[in-house]
Structures are given as C-alpha cells and as structure tokens.
Amino acid sequence: MAMKVALLGCGVVGAEVVRLINEQSAELGARVGAPLEIGGVAVRRVGGTRGTGLDPELFTTDAMGLVTRPDIDLVVEVVGGIEPARSLILAAVKSGKSVVTANKALLAEDGATILTAAREAGVDVYYEAAVAGAIPLLRPLRDSLAGDRVNRVLGIVNGTTNFILDRMDAMGAGFAESLEEAQSLGYAEADPTADVEGFDAAAKAAILARLAFHTQQVTAADVHREGITEVSAGDIASARAMGCVVKLLAICQRSADGDAVGVRVHPVMLPREHPLANVNEAYNAVFVEAESAGRLMFYGAGAGGTPTASAVLGDVVAVARNRLAATSAGEGGDDTGMPVHPMGKTVTRYHIALDVADRPGVLARVADVFAGNGVSIKNVRQEGHGEDAQLVLVSHQAPDAALGATVEELRGLDMVRSVASVMRVEAFADQA
Amino acid sequence: MAMKVALLGCGVVGAEVVRLINEQSAELGARVGAPLEIGGVAVRRVGGTRGTGLDPELFTTDAMGLVTRPDIDLVVEVVGGIEPARSLILAAVKSGKSVVTANKALLAEDGATILTAAREAGVDVYYEAAVAGAIPLLRPLRDSLAGDRVNRVLGIVNGTTNFILDRMDAMGAGFAESLEEAQSLGYAEADPTADVEGFDAAAKAAILARLAFHTQQVTAADVHREGITEVSAGDIASARAMGCVVKLLAICQRSADGDAVGVRVHPVMLPREHPLANVNEAYNAVFVEAESAGRLMFYGAGAGGTPTASAVLGDVVAVARNRLAATSAGEGGDDTGMPVHPMGKTVTRYHIALDVADRPGVLARVADVFAGNGVSIKNVRQEGHGEDAQLVLVSHQAPDAALGATVEELRGLDMVRSVASVMRVEAFADQA
C-alpha cells in the first residue's frame, strides 16, 4: 500500500524532491517499509512538468483541494512564505495528513499554532530543512538530546552572510564590494535584505531556541536582530589583531538563573580556535553546549536545492514510517513555557574601537565611564597618533544594557571623536 | 504506566545513566510520554549502591534473571565485552525487551545477529554510544540521511590517538613521549593497545560502514587496520611542510563502481583546511559525504562517562517512545548485501620520504620504479645533503596495492638507504 505524497510548489527544491523520490524509489521504499508515490503537485500556473518527468495530469492549481484529498497521506510544503502556506498546512493537518516543510518564516512566526494543531490531529509536522539546510540538526536536538539539557546554541545559519564575511576576511575588502561578489556568484540575491539584515538568521534562531529549550514562547519578533551591513574591513582587521574572526551568529542561551532564554542574532568576534571559526564560504554550522553531551557541532551545506531536498526527504521517510506505525512525534507537547528575556539582560562582552583626541588623560576618562556603568575593562591598546589616534578596548562580561549605556556615554565625550566600531565578542579566553 | 529499565553494569557510564534518569525524571517523563523507572541493576558483586542513591534491593548478580523478568521493558547494557553481553542482549531481545547498548566490540563482531534477532522479536537495539560517544551521529545517518546516498565517511573516532597526535603536533614530540603524557592525563589507559593499535577505531569503522552503506556484511575483521605506533615526529613535520596534519582516520568509502565498500583505519596526512583537521585534543568528529546532502560533519566528545551516558539516555528515550507506540525501527532489514572490497583495490595517495644516496640519477631511478608500477608522481622535493639527503614524494592517486608494491621496490634499491616514512594522504588538492 503506497504512501501518497502531495507537493505544494515545484521550484528548485520541489523539483529536486520529486527527482530524488523517483530516482531512489527502491531504496526509499525499503527504508520506509512501503512505496512512496507522488499523488499530486500544486503550482500557481499549470503548464509543463518542470523537468520532473511526472505525468502532467498530476499538476493542479487547486492546492486546497489537493491537501484535503482523502487518498493523500503526506504533504510536502516547499512554497515558502506565510500565506497561503499556513492555511494549506493547517488544512492538511486537520484532514489528518502529516506535513514536511522547509518554511522557516512560517514556523518562526506561527510554529506553536501549527504544532498544536498537529498534536491534536495526531499527525507530524517535521521541518529539518527550515533551519540548516542539509544538516541533520533538529532531529538530533529533538531526539538524541532528549535526555539532556541544552545550555547554549551558537549557530552560523545563513550561508550568504557567512560567505560575505569570509570574503571580507580573505580579501581585506569592504562589505559592499563583498556583497557584489556574492551576488555575482549566486550566493546572495538581487535583494539581499532578508539575509544581510539578519531576518533569515533570526527566524532560524527562534526555531532553534524553541526546540533546544522545549518552549513554544519564542517567535522571530522576540529575537534581537542585527545584520552585517555595518561590519567594516576595519572590524575584520581588529578581530584578526585579537586572534578572532567575525561571524554572524544566532545565539540561544539559557539565562544564569535558568528561567528564561536569550535569543539574538548579531555579528560576533570569535576566537580562531573555536570550531565555528573555521566554517567558511556558504557552509553552516551549529555548535551546541549541553549539560551531559558537552560540546557538539553539526556542520554542512545550509542551502541549495539538492541539500535542502535531501533534508526534506529525510523528514518524509521519518514521517512516512510514523504513519505506517500509526504514531506521531507529538512535538511541542512538552512546552516548559520558558519565556524570552530581554537583550539588555544578556551577559556578553564588547570590543570597542574609539577614534580619540591624541592627548593625555583620554584613557583615564574612558576608564571612568566604564566604571560608572559597572563594566570592567579586560584589555586595552592605544593605536596610531594624531588624527589616527585610536583606543581599542575589550570589556569583561557584563549585561548588554550596561555595555550599551557605556558606549553611548563614550560617544558623548568630547575627547572621543567617534566610536569607530562596536562588536560583541563571544567564547573569548575565560568565557567557556 | 512506567517504563521499567534494567541496567547491566554500574560502572562509570552505568552510574551516570542512573543519576541522569533520577535527576531529570520529570523532563524525561514528559519527553517519553511515561515515567522511566529503574527496575533493577545487575552487577558482578553486590554491595553498595555505587553512589547512585538507588534502593540496594534493586542490585542483583542474576543478570540473566533480570533481563528476562516479565516487568522489564528496556535493558541498558553498559558492561562491554563480547560475553556475557551477547548472551544477555539476545536473551533480553527474545524476551521482548528493547536494548540500548554502548558495546562497540560486540556490535562490530556480531551486530548482524543481534539486529536480526531484534527485528524478529519486534524490538529495538540502539547503540549511539558505541561509535562516537556523545555525538548524535548514528541516528542522523540512519534516519535523516535515509533518503540520501552516502559516498564516503571519514572519522576521527578515537580520542586517545587524536590527543596523542595533537600533542605530537603541538610539542614536536615523539610517539612514546606523547603516549606517556596522555596516560598521565587520563586520556590513555595503562595498556593502551586497543586505542593506539587502532582496534577501537576499527570496530567503530565497521559499525559506521554497515549503517552508512546499508549492508550487514562488514565486521571488525574486515577492516584494514593500522594504529599510530609507527608515526614519528618526522612524519608530523613532513605533514606540516605540506600544509597537512596527521590524523588517525576511519575511512568507509563506496568503490568507484558502487558495488563494494572499502573500510580502513590508518594514519593519514590531511590538509589543514579540512574541517577534520581542526578537531583537536580528545574530541571526535565524523565527516560524511552524501550525494544530496553534500558535506556534513558531526563533532563532539567521543568518550567520557557523562557524554556517553547522554548518548545512552537519548537512545533510551527513543526506544521507550517506540515501545509506547508499539513500533520499532526494524534496523538492518534493508541489507543490500554489499561486500567489503580488499584494501589493495582502495584508491589512495602516498607520501613517501626516502633517505637516499647523495648522487645524481637517484630521482630518475626512483621515478622509474613508480612508472613501472603504474603510479604517477604528483610532487617531489629533495632535502638535505650527504648523510641527510632525502627525497620526499607525494604520489598521484592509485590503487593501494600498486602504491605498496612501489614502496617495497624502492626499499630494495641500493641508492635508497631507507624508507624513512610512508603515509597515506587524503582529501588532498584535486581530491574531492
């Protein structure tokens, strides 16, 4: 008895999913325990089979009809966006179909509603491809670490920005130039906003935080988000002088008292010895610190039609097996309700480069400002002379609000000509 | 209705498993969907509770009685060794209990028998902790990549040897000195044979090959095995001169015609840019090359009581969930029967350092020997003078048998004073 799969969307990822299902049908049938069959493909405009080799009769514009059709077992949603994907997924779930999706925006915004509906209907909604492309990450977090306690997750989850920062580091180039190079090579879109402003990474951070900390209370809106548009060649050089690289990281961290989770995306200076520092080009990696398992890292291709399709297919096999066994994962049912705590309370460390007047007493005045905000200085060096005089400081760890207040006060000092650069530093020296 | 867990063994890992089950009983109960309860602990000598805080009445020397007791649902085997573990696991399975084990030696030798018995009884045997400690690796290979095709697996799967090689690289020290340091720090045992001779890595390679290539035809005896006892400070220096590091790798690779799998463990020169090259100290990492997913890497702590216990617990949760749903994974049922092909046919590359007579014509004669064996030379450099004259060559890729024959013939040339070093090179330059 075949498992009938309906596809929503037949673009780069959808067409590749179809191709893999056809090409590996024997192996997939053996691994699932029943043959997989494409029952229908919903597209916006019928005409042509998108190189899938499928019977043109399978294509339809009636997506809602397809997801509620009685003979369909499983729906693969690869159109993306909030609507109509949300309505279609909810309709599929309420009709007793399991769903596999790659839709990070939808899950980040409304994952709790969808997972609740899935639990009530006794079906699965799986979404490995939504966070880190091909990397099996969500299933290990959800399943293998089910008996463990996650304390922190650091992730390079956007290949576009990682590629750009990697080029800036390799070429000493500025952001605009490296963005152009990324666009010409196909690593960045014509409108790169979602990637370079950190929206893509923030959606993934929300999904990661919910899974890692067993809470349904995090949405993309809760994530403190900064992209890489303000990262300069000077920042990269400063980082290198400190033995660090600059990465755009998604960071999800249990608060010190364990009662809340901080979720943020922003550029970070990271020591070169850190396993994440050597994740180059458009690769992604997620570094997990768990109570018993210790340090773990998952690395792989974050995007691309074929890697994403492979993650979708892994979920299709899992969900199909669950259906054959008349069971489902019941994800989201263990909601601890742990809330997100505000960015101001997140404990972190700042690297600050100040263009200063070249005269005595500047360091003393600057140190005063730090002390007044309750922030200690870890190290400081003075660079350049005259017009180029610069003070470069790394703080000790302190709440982000105190660090931000320190920077604002420094900006107001008349011996500080400008704040040339501010960046958070993670996993540094005595930090774990 | 509680899930009753029986433990076989209560050493470092077993005691930690008990501690975690007690400490996280609420979270585990929520994630499984039923409370977990320790039903009994089998040990060799009763007396004391090994710091577990358990009721002493739970301890017994009657392991066989415990695993066949009607009220037991799940058996955790953490004694290790072939017998009595094999008999106990088979008895448990035949009595309808699911099993979680960390026993790599047993699985490498007799995994096929155990998995077949489990499928026939409709129960699970899970063994994440047997290969790479805390790293969720087997479940992703088995499940997330179920819809994919693995071409090659490269693994650092033995923390002892990775630590020793890391120290040799950092300190310029020889093997014996670095082994002593490892022993004094607790990274190597008093009798380090299983680790430094590659037996531990070979068992893990066999298990990995079976899972990655869906074949039950690989046992530890099939694995070409070389340890690190012959690796010298000179080898490490040669590697560095080539921009490489030396790692002990487990390599499982689909043959060119796709019909067989090569499985081997031996020291390798690996380029420093490779993600595996930066896996230091006693960490493990497994690098997977899959058809659709592309390059993936899983990194984490390979050993240690707590990391291993966390992997065991992840499996306990999965297996308990399956039982509640009256289902099982049916692993091993998709045996392609793909055999192991002999080491001689494995295509690889050699780095060879020859102490040679310092006179003209040596290179020509050496190049002749290569040509005679059908092996091309990729690059060569001449080092030193007089007594120190050395020829250092890197071959192109060729079958291992031809490369080995080349080395033996070189050894016999009278202008070659000795073969100072021979090591395989992987993932180099034009190699993927």
Side-chain angles (χ1 to χ4, degrees), chain A residues 296-321:
Chain A
L296 297 172
M297 190 171 85
F298 304 86
Y299 159 105
T306 309
T308 306
S310 95
V312 167
L313 215 52
D315 276 353
V316 165
V317 169
V319 153
R321 276 195 194 136

Side-chain angles (χ1 to χ4, degrees), chain B residues 122-182:
Chain B
V123 298
D124 285 314
V125 173
Y126 273 30
Y127 49 95
E128 187 72 70
V131 175
I135 313 172
L137 165 68
L138 300 192
R139 200 94 59 77
L141 269 183
R142 190 193 291 126
D143 298 350
S144 305
L145 294 186
D148 205 332
R149 189 177 165 91
V150 172
N151 292 319
R152 185 162 79 155
V153 177
L154 306 174
I156 295 171
V157 293
N158 180 273
T160 298
T161 45
N162 199 57
F163 180 87
I164 291 172
L165 291 171
D166 194 23
R167 297 310 289 161
M168 289 176 73
D169 186 54
M171 308 299 288
F175 169 72
E177 187 180 334
S178 303
L179 169 59
E180 263 189 60
E181 184 186 356

Side-chain angles (χ1 to χ4, degrees), chain A residues 20 24 28 31 134 136 139 143-144 146-148 214 283 292-293 295-300 306-307 310 313-314 321 325 327, chain B residues 20 24 31 134 136 139 143-144 146-148 214 283 292-293 295-300 306-307 310 313-314 321 325 327:
Chain A
L20 290 173
Q24 297 180 20
L28 287 172
R31 288 167 208 176
R139 199 93 60 77
D143 297 351
S144 304
D148 205 334
H214 300 272
Y283 282 95
S292 297
R295 294 156 52 121
L296 297 172
M297 190 171 85
F298 304 86
Y299 159 105
T306 309
S310 95
L313 215 52
R321 276 195 194 136
T327 184
Chain B
L20 290 172
Q24 297 181 19
R31 288 168 208 174
R139 200 94 59 77
D143 298 350
S144 305
D148 205 332
H214 300 273
Y283 283 95
S292 297
R295 294 155 54 119
L296 297 172
M297 190 171 85
F298 305 86
Y299 159 106
T306 308
S310 95
L313 216 53
R321 274 193 193 139
T327 184

Side-chain angles (χ1 to χ4, degrees), chain B residues 16 56 82 184 209 254 258 338 358 410 423:
Chain B
E16 184 62 16
I82 306 294
S184 72
R254 202 184 283 275
M338 193 153 63
D358 188 11
L410 291 170
M423 196 175 291

